[in-house]
Amino acid sequence: MSNIAIIAAIGEDNALGRDQKLLWHLPKDMKRFKTLTTGHPIIMGRKTFASFPRGPLPNRKNIILTTQLQVDYEGCFTCHSIEEALRLCTDQEPIFIIGGALVYKQFLTLADTIYLTKVQGKFPDADCFFPPFNLDEWEEVEKNDFLADEKNKYAYSFITYKRKK
């Protein structure tokens, strides 16, 4: 299995969120997320799924990775292991890993691409963080910087990393 991509938005301190919510509102980041993931399988933890206000994300195979048995989420596939989740994605690439922190950590060694939105801000009230990863194993292949504006409160960067061969 190849072509596994992690997609995340993090603060300067690797903050992901608080109470299953993002710490910022960046419409341009949400648009990028939708553009990249539409038409592809997305794998997430149950808490990430629970944070979606309208249920499964449309035009994507929603796969929930959970240790809880006897759970079923309407419009989604439920899996109890990485291997089971990846089997559901045969011939569907890229596969996007969309969170949360534990799911990111489990897939970091398998991913070959990271799409990162780096939000220029510190978020001391965060309770969920992106796992540390060794930048020496990754090559930055694209970076676009954006200033804060009337719709996006924080400056941010879209960074794409590819795993070094």
Side-chain angles (χ1 to χ4, degrees):
M1 180 68 57
S2 63
N3 211 353
I4 295 173
I6 287 174
I7 187 165
I10 65 171
E12 290 174 7
D13 48 3
N14 285 1
L16 283 168
R18 175 164 185 82
D19 299 327
Q20 279 82 54
K21 292 181 177 64
L22 294 176
L23 298 161
W24 47 77
H25 178 69
L26 296 174
K28 198 163 182 178
D29 177 53
M30 299 304 267
K31 182 178 179 181
R32 177 181 187 238
F33 177 90
K34 182 178 180 180
T35 299
L36 287 170
T37 63
T38 295
H40 302 287
I42 53 175
I43 298 175
M44 71 199 92
R46 67 175 174 78
K47 290 180 183 176
T48 297
F49 177 72
S51 74
F52 296 167
R54 294 182 202 96
L57 297 181
N59 304 312
R60 284 156 271 207
K61 181 186 276 188
N62 288 246
I63 301 169
I64 300 168
L65 192 57
T66 179
T67 58
Q68 291 186 344
L69 303 176
Q70 312 302 324
V71 294
D72 194 29
Y73 300 95
E74 189 173 331
C76 300
F77 296 87
T78 304
C79 297
H80 304 289
S81 72
I82 290 172
E83 297 76 21
E84 186 182 358
L86 292 175
R87 276 195 300 273
L88 286 172
C89 302
T90 306
D91 300 327
Q92 298 176 348
E93 296 182 352
I95 299 162
F96 284 92
I97 311 308
I98 67 167
L102 183 57
V103 175
Y104 286 137
K105 185 177 181 179
Q106 290 175 299
F107 277 94
L108 261 174
T109 59
L110 301 175
D112 39 34
T113 307
I114 299 175
Y115 295 99
L116 205 59
T117 299
K118 186 84 172 198
V119 181
Q120 305 306 311
K122 292 193 185 330
F123 302 91
D125 57 342
D127 64 5
C128 183
F129 297 87
F130 193 83
F133 65 103
N134 184 352
L135 275 174
D136 292 338
E137 297 174 8
W138 299 88
E139 178 184 358
E140 184 181 300
V141 295
E142 187 176 1
K143 182 176 183 184
N144 296 295
D145 298 318
F146 300 92
L147 298 174
D149 59 32
E150 64 280 351
K151 291 184 179 177
N152 300 276
K153 180 179 174 182
Y154 299 95
Y156 57 97
S157 301
F158 292 156
I159 307 168
T160 304
Y161 294 101
K162 293 282 186 184
R163 185 178 297 281
K164 292 179 181 175
K165 302 291 181 201

